[in-house]
Amino acid sequence: MSFGPGPSAHQIREEALRRRKALDGELALARGRATSWAKGVGALLATGLAFGLVKGRSDLTDLAPGFAVAVGVLLILAIAVAAVAAYFLFRAAYGRLGAAPPEITDHTLVVQTMADLRIGLRWAVAGVTALLLSVGLTWYGPAAEGPRLNVVDADGASWCGQPVRTSSGVLTMKIDGQEVRLDMTEAVQITPVASCRMP
């Protein structure tokens, strides 16, 4: 059996040089990608926050108490999770704090960089999810119930709803989403109630 001629010394040197250049640029390439991801995630979080401010309640007191608490918890969670995500993404982009041990190779640093990037992206997804959930609750959560009045007129009809305004002896109340005007001179009984729901 005969073997063909092997690579020449020049070819071996060229291949070794090519591999060395690839290894030398591997860490810079990985950190460059991590920096780009960090900027993209930051833009995504900023967009999510701006999206939440476009429309929706501006005051959590407009929400039902339980939903207002849930929004507050989700916002705190989103901030905490975003901070953890930022830590890992910055560590991926700029390296770990402290000097690297002399025996560590660039390839090992690349592996660490990519691991930090993956962890940071997972935390960022969780943060964006918490932020969007809080925005959704502020948009679609039930409104807080304000004071209610039960008004009985001279005919014995009972009207229960949220007072909106009074003007010239006329009380305007919101009942089932509709505004109803009641002449207060015909009211025989006005009672504040906690809720208009029937027991």
Side-chain angles (χ1 to χ4, degrees), residues 91-176:
R91 195 167 76 168
Y94 303 110
R96 302 187 178 201
L97 293 175
E103 66 275 8
I104 197 167
T105 65
D106 279 357
H107 182 71
T108 302
L109 290 175
V110 168
V111 172
Q112 292 176 352
T113 295
M114 299 311 293
D116 288 340
L117 178 59
R118 285 191 294 271
I119 294 171
L121 290 176
R122 291 189 190 107
W123 281 99
V125 168
V128 170
T129 301
L131 179 62
L132 294 180
L133 284 174
S134 67
V135 169
L137 287 180
T138 59
W139 281 19
Y140 303 112
E145 291 192 357
R148 299 290 190 267
L149 289 179
N150 187 60
V151 180
V152 179
D153 62 20
D155 296 329
S158 179
W159 305 86
C160 185
Q162 180 179 4
V164 178
R165 60 186 171 274
T166 57
S167 177
S168 303
V170 175
L171 170 65
T172 302
M173 293 200 310
K174 185 173 285 187
I175 301 174
D176 295 330

Side-chain angles (χ1 to χ4, degrees), residues 18-76:
R18 186 190 66 79
R19 292 186 180 184
R20 182 61 190 166
K21 285 182 178 179
L23 288 174
D24 287 344
E26 186 179 27
L27 182 58
L29 178 63
R31 288 196 172 155
R33 288 177 178 172
T35 301
S36 298
W37 273 102
K39 290 177 181 177
V41 169
L44 182 63
L45 286 169
T47 302
L49 184 59
F51 180 70
L53 298 176
V54 170
K55 186 179 184 305
R57 294 181 176 93
S58 59
D59 189 347
L60 290 183
T61 58
D62 293 340
L63 272 175
F67 283 82
V69 170
V71 169
V73 170
L74 282 171
L75 287 174
I76 292 171

Side-chain angles (χ1 to χ4, degrees), residues 9-19:
H10 176 72
Q11 290 173 325
I12 293 173
R13 282 196 302 270
E14 286 292 324
E15 179 63 17
L17 183 60
R18 186 190 66 79
R19 292 186 180 184

